[in-house]
Amino acid sequence: MNQPFKGKLSLVTGGGRGIGKAIALKLASQGSDVIINFFRHRDTAEKTAKEIQDIGVKAKIIRANVGDPAKIDEMFDVISNDFGYLDILISNAASGVGRPVLDVDVKAWDWTMDINARALLLCAQRAARLMEGRSGKIVSISSLGSFLVWPTYAAVGVSKAALEALTRYLAIELAPKGICVNAIAASAVLTDALKFYIKGQEAAHQQATPAGRMVTPEDIANVVFFLCSEDAFMIRGQTIIIDGGASVMAPFVSTPGGVNQ
Amino acid sequence: MSIEEQIKDIVAEIVRVDKGIIRREGTFKDINADSLDVVQVLLRTEETFDIEIPDEDAEQFQNFGDFVDYVEHHVAEKEKA
Ligand SMILES: NC(=O)c1ccc[n+]([C@@H]2O[C@H](COP(=O)([O-])OP(=O)(O)OC[C@H]3O[C@@H](n4cnc5c(N)ncnc54)[C@H](OP(=O)(O)O)[C@@H]3O)[C@@H](O)[C@H]2O)c1
């Protein structure tokens, strides 16, 4: 089998489940060893690690709350000691407090910003050192909420806007080190968690997407793979939108797929 | 200080309530804690006692009594090991 990432090491934050898991499996299927960072669900992370090992590459799980700088440091200390290098960093872990903007208090704001935006800063700082001379790749997972307004999404949306801006700064400042930095912004992605929330509304979601179906975790993983490949070498500091065309549709317009509301 | 007292201190500080209203039969809802408060209490408890409380376990707690028992049990297990 063709394994372009053989010998590489990837770290996927929040890689135990959902989109992070799909990304971890994709990178592993391309030959990369994978470190799965998790926070509250050890069992799930262990299962994902097992699936990765079954592919035939190395997998390791590391527990760390990426909202806590000391824990990020501990995680990278482990990676430094055990491997001493890193090729790919996927900043995927996210959390957030869903509240109307007037109810976002300092605690909710800090929690969301620390996990979703500051984590990229701190992880990238440590990762850059481990990527020395290895043409590293950094990809962050953002969402359309960075520029579109969804109900109760204020804190997360703002944190994603910060993540995308940071992606641009990192792309320029890490370019001399040979590191490519980009982001992916997705619309609603059909993870197991989301399937639960939108039960009964699948058809409406599908209709609002010109491409005719919802985005899957594998759609994201495929673009992550591309951005981490040498084919994407000249793409820097970009946020690639994966939404089946939903965000470029003008509101209240009929489409072949239905009506965008 | 007992584990129960230490947990009550953590809850009182994070949820910003008087320690006296935290009872074994009570719940987070009773003291108006939001979901972020709950996560932060779990995190601080994990750090204080150097144990791990996965969400799967935390979801089983019916009240503070269950929470305290869980922590006591895991601290004892750790000391045995
Ligand atoms: N699902 C969507 O519709 C959608 C749409 C657009 C963008 N996104 C973005 O895609 C990414 C993944 O989303 P998802 O839906 O797959 O995630 P999810 O189901 O909400 O799961 C969150 C993931 O992040 C991890 N995590 C949360 N807080 C963490 C922390 N403090 N430290 C370390 N890890 C932490 C979780 O690990 P534990 O379970 O171990 O705690 C879990 O693996 C996120 O950045 C999200 O914003 C998702």
Side-chain angles (χ1 to χ4, degrees):
Chain A
M1 202 171 47
N2 184 19
Q3 293 204 313
F5 290 177
K6 198 167 168 32
K8 290 188 189 292
L9 179 65
S10 305
L11 165 64
V12 183
T13 67
R17 60 192 178 96
I19 296 169
K21 176 180 176 179
I23 294 170
L25 288 172
K26 179 75 185 185
L27 295 173
S29 75
Q30 302 303 313
S32 176
D33 296 325
V34 182
I35 297 166
I36 298 284
N37 152 255
F38 73 101
F39 180 30
R40 312 269 343 141
H41 294 97
R42 178 179 287 276
D43 281 6
T44 326
E46 276 171 355
K47 278 192 208 120
T48 300
K50 178 81 183 40
E51 285 182 47
I52 288 172
Q53 284 159 352
D54 288 346
I55 293 173
V57 296
K58 280 186 223 151
K60 182 182 179 72
I61 61 167
I62 303 181
R63 183 177 198 240
N65 168 12
V66 297
D68 182 340
K71 297 287 185 284
I72 289 181
D73 267 335
E74 284 170 22
M75 171 167 72
F76 276 93
D77 288 346
V78 171
I79 300 172
S80 295
N81 289 333
D82 290 10
F83 296 90
Y85 62 91
L86 185 68
D87 299 285
I88 293 171
L89 164 67
I90 310 298
S91 189
N92 163 81
S95 183
V97 182
R99 288 184 196 162
V101 73
L102 292 183
D103 296 333
V104 177
D105 57 16
V106 171
K107 208 167 59 173
W109 172 272
D110 287 349
W111 174 265
T112 311
M113 292 296 281
D114 290 354
I115 294 172
N116 298 1
R118 192 178 65 186
L120 171 63
L121 174 72
L122 301 178
C123 286
Q125 287 172 346
R126 288 292 305 257
R129 282 191 252 156
L130 292 170
M131 289 175 175
E132 206 85 37
R134 299 184 68 90
S135 67
K137 316 286 177 199
I138 300 178
V139 179
S140 300
I141 310 302
S142 183
S143 83
L144 293 192
S146 66
F147 63 95
L148 295 178
V149 173
W150 287 326
T152 74
Y153 202 74
V156 179
V158 172
S159 73
K160 294 298 192 185
L163 183 77
E164 292 175 14
L166 180 57
T167 295
R168 292 187 279 274
Y169 278 92
L170 287 170
I172 303 309
E173 295 192 17
L174 298 186
K177 293 182 180 298
I179 300 174
C180 295
V181 187
N182 290 290
I184 287 171
S187 56
V189 179
L190 205 51
T191 56
D192 290 338
L194 194 84
K195 275 183 201 153
F196 176 79
Y197 284 113
I198 64 160
K199 236 181 164 41
Q201 306 164 36
E202 293 89 343
H205 277 271
Q206 218 163 315
Q207 283 210 326
T209 312
R213 66 164 174 81
M214 285 187 70
V215 179
T216 64
E218 289 70 30
D219 291 324
I220 312 290
N222 288 338
V223 179
V224 167
F225 165 57
F226 171 64
L227 289 175
C228 292
S229 74
E230 292 312 311
D231 290 345
F233 186 77
M234 292 306 281
I235 303 178
R236 305 289 177 107
Q238 299 300 314
T239 298
I240 311 291
I241 293 176
I242 306 183
D243 68 350
S247 66
V248 289
M249 280 277 303
F252 309 112
V253 176
S254 284
T255 69
V259 175
N260 185 34
Q261 307 174 1
Chain B
M1 207 185 343
S2 72
I3 286 178
E4 179 160 342
E5 287 304 306
Q6 290 183 69
I7 293 179
K8 279 187 179 167
D9 281 340
I10 291 170
V11 173
E13 189 197 322
I14 288 172
V15 189
R16 289 199 217 111
V17 292
D18 192 283
K19 195 174 162 185
I21 70 165
I22 306 165
R23 290 171 308 112
R24 282 188 67 91
E25 333 50 88
T27 66
F28 278 110
K29 219 166 147 212
D30 295 341
I31 57 169
N32 284 327
D34 63 26
S35 59
L36 198 49
D37 290 331
V38 177
V39 182
Q40 290 186 328
V41 166
L42 290 173
L43 288 186
R44 183 79 66 80
T45 307
E46 288 180 335
E47 270 164 20
T48 305
F49 299 103
D50 192 24
I51 58 168
E52 200 174 302
I53 313 172
D55 279 4
E56 299 88 272
D57 291 355
E59 279 156 15
Q60 307 298 319
F61 304 154
Q62 303 288 331
N63 53 33
F64 285 123
D66 287 352
F67 180 23
V68 171
D69 292 345
Y70 179 95
V71 175
E72 281 173 351
H73 175 75
H74 282 79
V75 170
E77 288 287 302
K78 208 182 68 155
E79 277 162 7
K80 250 193 278 164

